[in-house]
Amino acid sequence: MLRTVTIGLDGSPESRAAAEWAAREATLRALPLKIVHVWEQVPAHGAEAQLLGPETDQHWIERIPHEAAEGIRQSHPGLEVSSEQLRGSVVDLLCEAAGSADLLVLGSRGFGAIGGFVVGSVSLSVVARAERPVVLVRAGEQAADEHKTDQAGVPSAEAPFRPVVLGLDTDEPDDTLLEFAFDAAARREASLRVVHGWPEPPTSFYRFPGDAELYDTLERRHAAALTEALRPWRQKFPGVEVIEASRCGNAAQILVNSSRDASLAVVGRRIRTSHLGAHIGHVTHAALHHITAPVAVVAHS
């Protein structure tokens, strides 16, 4: 099966920004880019639908992936680009497309009224169900945003990449997640900042005697667990500079704060379902809604 970077395109500004990011990622991975546009037809209503007719509607919709592919071929010469139009359930077909890709890329809208990014129901459903990595890219994301500033203090695609940030649970460090993050940092020749958040001691609220000693013990224990989890991956990727950050506090907030200068944030999602359906976890949910950089969600067992 042909390995690809696949972009789920709907013609919106955020999905076009995601398509450009996907093209850059495909170039980094030396893989073809595949553009998938899913048309979930809804019943036509009103005079406008009668005037345009289904043939005209289909004609305009079919132009979306074709024109996007042509635009990317022009801006990324040498990149192999294909496009496909599908009909049916958007979530089902995007999850199916993700299954045959190295990663699936989707767009995410800008800030909402509550101060976070707006992640649509389609994106959340795909993230919760797909068993391959899914990357969400914000509207307006540009190549320079992933890079440090140049000598003039201006972000430039010619400057080195900003760090890749990984949120890691040291109780259950997963190889799939770790390999994705180390590989992403290696391809970008960027540092990898690995962040682990651990809760405050249960007695700290009451300020019991000995809390400081307990805190120091827990701090050393969690830092050692992080170092041990990363040891084999440092050996496998010796060229990647690793920055370890084990901090006490809310894991989601620590990850969001640590990703303010990231080129890419990486989080995990355990593949599991309940009677309420698939879910993504509160740390991943916070990352999707509050981290400005592209966010990769890596499903793992």
Side-chain angles (χ1 to χ4, degrees):
M1 183 176 295
L2 181 65
R3 296 171 56 208
T4 65
V5 171
T6 298
I7 166 69
L9 187 76
D10 62 10
S12 64
E14 56 268 23
S15 74
R16 293 187 182 278
E20 283 294 329
W21 186 92
R24 297 193 297 271
E25 184 69 15
T27 301
L28 281 174
R29 291 171 175 259
L31 292 176
L33 176 68
K34 183 177 182 180
I35 299 173
V36 173
H37 177 251
V38 181
W39 181 17
E40 189 166 21
Q41 192 170 10
V42 296
H45 297 287
E48 182 179 354
Q50 295 176 6
L51 177 64
L52 293 176
E55 295 82 5
T56 303
D57 189 34
Q58 180 176 348
H59 169 74
W60 283 101
I61 288 174
E62 288 177 347
R63 289 180 57 179
I64 294 174
H66 175 73
E67 292 181 352
E70 287 302 313
I72 289 175
R73 290 189 187 101
Q74 292 179 17
S75 59
H76 299 270
L79 177 63
E80 181 182 343
V81 184
S82 64
S83 62
E84 183 178 18
Q85 181 135 38
L86 305 171
R87 292 192 186 190
S89 164
V90 176
V91 173
D92 289 346
L93 290 173
L94 286 178
C95 287
E96 183 177 332
S100 59
D102 263 33
L103 72 161
L104 174 71
V105 184
L106 302 173
S108 176
R109 295 194 294 279
F111 278 106
I114 60 174
F117 282 97
V118 179
V119 183
S121 59
V122 169
S123 296
L124 285 177
S125 296
V126 173
V127 166
R129 287 176 47 187
E131 297 191 2
R132 297 290 298 159
V134 180
V135 179
L136 264 63
V137 179
R138 313 303 181 192
E141 174 75 17
Q142 298 180 8
D145 297 332
E146 303 172 73
H147 295 260
K148 299 178 180 179
T149 56
D150 59 19
Q151 294 181 349
V154 178
S156 168
E158 301 302 318
F161 276 93
R162 295 176 182 271
V164 173
V165 176
L166 167 64
L168 186 67
D169 179 359
T170 58
D171 289 335
E172 298 176 302
D174 182 81
D175 287 350
T176 302
L177 176 64
L178 284 159
E179 183 169 23
F180 183 96
F182 270 86
D183 180 72
R187 293 182 186 278
R188 289 164 171 76
E189 298 182 355
S191 60
L192 176 63
R193 182 183 301 149
V194 186
V195 180
H196 167 61
W198 49 277
E200 291 187 10
T203 61
S204 62
F205 178 78
Y206 302 100
R207 293 189 173 91
F208 286 166
D211 275 352
E213 182 179 350
L214 175 59
Y215 179 94
D216 289 343
T217 300
L218 290 173
E219 185 177 39
R220 289 193 298 271
R221 182 184 303 167
H222 284 287
L226 180 58
T227 297
E228 185 60 29
L230 297 176
R231 189 186 310 279
W233 295 96
R234 285 178 178 269
Q235 296 171 353
K236 187 174 181 178
F237 291 87
V240 174
E241 177 191 4
V242 180
I243 303 166
E244 299 180 21
S246 177
R247 299 171 184 167
C248 178
N250 181 279
Q253 190 61 55
I254 290 171
L255 176 61
V256 170
N257 291 339
S258 300
S259 301
R260 298 190 188 282
D261 64 341
S263 63
L264 176 69
V266 183
V267 291
R269 180 189 71 80
R270 186 167 297 281
I271 300 174
R272 57 187 177 189
T273 57
S274 67
H275 65 283
L276 298 176
H279 58 94
I280 62 174
H282 76 282
V283 174
T284 299
H285 192 274
L288 293 176
H289 284 83
H290 298 290
I291 293 177
T292 58
V295 177
V297 182
V298 181
H300 58 85
S301 58

